[in-house]
Amino acid sequence: MNQTDYGRQGDDYIVSPEQKALYQEHGYITLRNVLTGEELNDIEQEFDHFISGSVPDMGRDFCDMSGPYDRKFEDFALVNAMLPTKYEPALQGNIYEKLSASIAKQLIGDDATLDYDQFLAKRPARPDAKFTLHQDLGYWPTGTPDTITATCSLAVDDANSENGCLYVIPGSHQQGLRVHKPVHGKDRESSHILGVALLDGETLVELPLNKGDITVHNELILHGSGGNRSETSWRRTYITAFRSKACVEFERQIGFTHSHNDKVNWATHLGALK
């Protein structure tokens, strides 16, 4: 294939062999100019409807991902809306969902299935809007047929050091799953947030993005993000995560949907929480 055969092709985004190799080696890749400004305008309207707290009956699916569940909305720093297509079915099949599905199928297999989606927004002037260093697999049940995952994160705004862009430890996915501990309180009932400590010798690499770019990372890469030090700029991110069909079916069988309202027996289906 010619170089022009890679990148955006209608509702698909064709990943190059070099990008696939980097994904395997480093645990993540960055893809540029995946969505147009016009396509982002349509997404932003729905995004802001959720992030403003205008969608009713979300329970814990609308929360602050940098604080405890009982934090009041006006005090949220990292505004989180889980499963937006569940609460607004008209969002299903949007252009970003199609493009990220195309990418995931090329990276993890043709049966890549949308497992969950998520809207995240860091308010301006909130240096506490941090996403603790973690591995995604640390949040999820064990015993699945496989763990392979491709999580796509769309930059709805430019993301940089000032407003808290994603950072990763390249290659850390090759070292296995670490023990994760609750950041607030003693268990996941008081806060959904889990984290791990940065070890000596580990270096964080920031992944700045332009609006419309995407990062893709796997289930074991260590990653997080800093707070938002910008006085005026939001940092908004639209996440879609894909796993194998068998994995998603297993999760649903045990009552796990990635909703913060799930009632899962963590004593039976324990992740890396200790």
Side-chain angles (χ1 to χ4, degrees):
M1 297 178 72
N2 297 322
Q3 190 63 37
T4 55
D5 294 325
Y6 303 117
R8 178 72 182 269
Q9 305 286 341
D11 287 352
D12 294 315
Y13 186 99
I14 309 303
V15 183
S16 72
E18 292 78 12
Q19 290 168 329
K20 291 178 183 178
L22 286 172
Y23 184 75
Q24 295 301 320
E25 180 182 357
H26 295 309
Y28 71 95
I29 52 174
T30 299
L31 305 175
R32 302 293 184 182
N33 301 313
V34 181
L35 268 74
T36 68
E38 184 177 354
E39 290 166 341
L40 280 164
N41 286 339
D42 294 337
I43 288 172
E44 284 182 86
Q45 293 181 31
E46 291 291 348
F47 193 111
D48 291 342
H49 181 60
F50 275 86
I51 295 304
S52 66
S54 300
V55 178
D57 303 322
M58 292 187 68
R60 289 184 169 187
D61 283 340
F62 186 71
C63 63
D64 185 345
M65 279 301 289
S66 64
Y69 279 126
D70 60 1
R71 182 172 286 180
K72 295 180 180 179
F73 173 58
E74 56 267 28
D75 296 325
F76 283 14
L78 207 175
V79 188
N80 175 58
M82 291 299 302
L83 308 178
T85 52
K86 169 187 173 182
Y87 295 99
E88 184 51 72
L91 270 170
Q92 295 174 11
N94 67 66
I95 185 59
Y96 171 57
E97 189 176 297
K98 291 177 180 177
L99 287 164
S100 55
S102 168
I103 293 164
K105 289 178 187 295
Q106 295 170 71
L107 293 176
I108 67 172
D110 288 339
D111 73 337
T113 302
L114 181 63
D115 191 16
Y116 70 92
D117 51 2
Q118 183 178 15
F119 289 162
L120 286 169
K122 295 185 178 187
R123 281 176 163 159
R126 293 303 300 257
D128 56 334
K130 299 176 181 179
F131 219 123
T132 309
L133 186 67
H134 68 283
Q135 297 161 295
D136 289 344
L137 191 58
Y139 279 89
W140 303 336
T142 58
T144 55
D146 62 80
T147 64
I148 188 169
T149 310
T151 299
C152 301
S153 300
L154 168 66
V156 182
D157 303 293
D158 291 346
N160 50 52
S161 296
E162 186 178 34
N163 66 8
C165 66
L166 186 71
Y167 54 66
V168 299
I169 302 177
S172 55
H173 64 296
Q174 301 176 21
Q175 301 168 10
L177 183 61
R178 294 190 190 177
V179 172
H180 287 61
K181 296 182 178 180
V183 176
H184 300 280
K186 295 185 293 185
D187 54 39
R188 297 177 75 166
E189 283 303 307
S190 55
S191 172
H192 190 68
I193 308 167
L194 305 176
V196 301
L198 186 68
L199 301 180
D200 291 341
E202 291 183 329
T203 301
L204 301 174
V205 175
E206 291 189 327
L207 304 181
L209 300 175
N210 294 321
K211 186 173 182 176
D213 294 345
I214 289 177
T215 59
V216 190
H217 65 268
N218 73 12
E219 70 278 10
L220 282 171
I221 185 77
L222 283 157
H223 64 288
S225 59
N228 189 349
R229 294 178 285 106
S230 170
E231 292 296 322
T232 57
S233 298
W234 285 76
R235 187 207 150 197
R236 296 172 295 175
T237 306
Y238 182 179
I239 294 170
T240 51
F242 297 83
R243 310 190 84 184
S244 72
K245 181 179 179 182
C247 181
V248 174
E249 288 177 346
F250 175 88
E251 289 179 324
R252 302 303 181 264
Q253 181 183 355
I254 66 170
F256 185 75
T257 70
H258 293 272
S259 169
H260 293 187
N261 299 314
D262 285 343
K263 300 297 181 182
V264 176
N265 184 347
W266 289 105
T268 302
H269 302 289
L270 188 65
L273 178 61
K274 300 293 182 182

